[in-house]
Amino acid sequence: MESWVGLKRSTNIPDKSNCVVHITNLPVTIDYGTLFSALRGTGKICRATIAGSEAFVQFWSLDGVTRLLEKRRHGLFIIGTQIPNVNISSTGGERARKTTLHSRVLVINGPSEIVNYEYLRKYFSDRFKYSIESVEITDVQRDRQTMRWSFASFNTQSRKAWTLLGEEKKKAYETGDTNSPWKDVWFSYESDPCQPYQAIVPLPRRAPPPPIHPLPHVGQLYHESHPPLPSSVSWGHDSGMCNEDEEENKSKSIDWSLDQNVSSTSSNGDSDQPYRTATHTTSLPSQTPPCTRELFHSRRHSC
């Protein structure tokens, strides 16, 4: 495992740029699970090393250092019954790392014959040294299983595990072994549980949709424009050649046109007497035949 004990501090990294903290006055029985649990909400951690009753923790950025120092200043950094001391490390220093999706936490999914604690523990132990915060089974589906391995370090632990799993999967494809369970193994990094909770930023409001015009109510009236009354020329008859049947048909057509053009002051008027509610008089066109004009006036006065 990694250790900062005995290392000399680089003179090129000032305290304000150093992401490594030295934690002392820890319980003698301290373990990685307890240490990381106390560091929840401070920041993403790149690596941590416990040496007796002290520890060195490298944060991914300076924000983690600031939050931990504030937590200690307010007396909120407590492990067991002890309040540890936190200072910028003087035996080793590291600058902030670039923001990436890599982390010390690895999620592995695949056939249960490979993705299980006993198999992976031996597989990793035979190839590199590592320390574990926790190992969890997050999902089980028939003959497949998903596990979350939270290592103590990214540099030489979770990244090493990622590389080894990738090599095994690649080898299974290159050899053409269709029965190899490694072909069905999938893995990815996951967020560090020590990262602070991110504020939920609301999405920008979209432009309101165009208004939808409602359907007309029952009985709602619409005012429509109608063509002018037809002239005698359009009928194709001379004013003196109209017989009684043709005159009656023309009269009905004119009455219907007038009924559509004359405005009414009330929608509840008698349907049999549409002209009684007219607000103004309407004169016939100058080209109306005399016989039709007389018939119109006689019907109007009879109402």
Side-chain angles (χ1 to χ4, degrees):
M1 75 184 77
E2 296 173 294
S3 175
W4 280 282
V5 178
L7 297 179
K8 292 184 178 181
R9 168 77 175 278
S10 174
T11 58
N12 298 327
I13 303 177
D15 287 348
K16 63 179 181 180
S17 301
N18 191 5
C19 292
V20 180
V21 295
H22 185 200
I23 304 175
T24 58
N25 194 32
L26 293 171
V28 179
T29 57
I30 188 69
D31 56 20
Y32 286 96
T34 304
L35 176 62
F36 282 111
S37 179
L39 294 172
R40 288 287 191 273
T42 54
K44 184 178 180 180
I45 295 175
C46 183
R47 58 176 172 168
T49 298
I50 296 176
S53 59
E54 59 181 347
F56 293 86
V57 177
Q58 177 189 351
F59 286 95
W60 209 275
S61 66
L62 290 171
D63 292 342
V65 177
T66 302
R67 292 190 188 95
L68 179 57
L69 292 176
E70 286 293 325
K71 191 174 184 178
R72 171 62 179 84
R73 187 175 297 111
H74 293 287
L76 301 176
F77 185 53
I78 303 174
I79 299 179
T81 59
Q82 297 177 220
I83 300 179
N85 299 319
V86 181
N87 297 285
I88 303 299
S89 176
S90 59
T91 58
E94 295 287 346
R95 294 185 181 273
R97 301 175 64 97
K98 293 182 179 180
T99 302
T100 65
L101 296 178
H102 298 167
S103 73
R104 61 184 181 86
V105 182
L106 195 62
V107 175
I108 308 172
N109 172 274
S112 301
E113 58 181 298
I114 290 180
V115 184
N116 62 78
Y117 178 73
E118 292 299 329
Y119 184 93
L120 290 179
R121 180 191 63 80
K122 185 177 185 307
Y123 178 83
F124 293 148
S125 299
D126 291 344
R127 290 161 175 81
F128 64 95
K129 294 182 179 180
Y130 64 91
S131 299
I132 285 292
E133 174 193 354
S134 64
V135 178
E136 306 167 75
I137 298 176
T138 60
D139 187 39
V140 178
Q141 294 183 358
R142 294 185 181 181
D143 58 344
R144 297 186 65 86
Q145 191 164 252
T146 303
M147 303 186 72
R148 180 189 294 112
W149 286 68
S150 299
F151 293 91
S153 171
F154 163 71
N155 288 338
T156 60
Q157 296 181 24
S158 68
R159 185 166 62 178
K160 184 66 175 178
W162 169 285
T163 303
L164 291 172
L165 294 175
E167 290 176 351
E168 292 290 347
K169 188 177 180 71
K170 182 179 179 181
K171 186 188 304 182
Y173 276 97
E174 290 178 346
T175 58
D177 185 3
T178 57
N179 297 324
S180 175
W182 283 103
K183 297 178 67 174
D184 296 327
V185 174
W186 305 92
F187 45 93
S188 63
Y189 293 110
E190 193 174 82
S191 299
D192 191 329
C194 290
Q195 292 181 214
Y197 294 107
Q198 301 295 326
I200 299 177
V201 180
L203 295 175
R205 292 185 178 182
R206 296 181 178 178
I212 301 176
H213 298 287
L215 296 175
H217 300 291
V218 177
Q220 182 176 351
L221 300 180
Y222 280 89
H223 299 282
E224 300 179 358
S225 59
H226 296 277
L229 293 175
S231 64
S232 59
V233 178
S234 62
W235 292 338
H237 294 280
D238 186 70
S239 59
M241 298 178 62
C242 295
N243 57 35
E244 186 175 351
D245 294 337
E246 292 174 345
E247 196 69 29
E248 181 68 17
N249 294 334
K250 295 174 184 179
S251 302
K252 292 181 180 179
S253 177
I254 294 173
D255 290 346
W256 177 84
S257 300
L258 290 174
D259 186 32
Q260 298 298 319
N261 284 276
V262 177
S263 60
S264 175
T265 57
S266 173
S267 61
N268 298 323
D270 188 358
S271 60
D272 295 332
Q273 299 178 356
Y275 298 108
R276 287 190 176 183
T277 57
T279 57
H280 63 277
T281 61
T282 303
S283 60
L284 296 174
S286 60
Q287 298 179 355
T288 304
C291 55
T292 303
R293 186 184 300 274
E294 291 177 1
L295 180 60
F296 174 77
H297 285 297
S298 61
R299 289 193 176 187
R300 183 174 184 183
H301 289 298
S302 63
C303 294

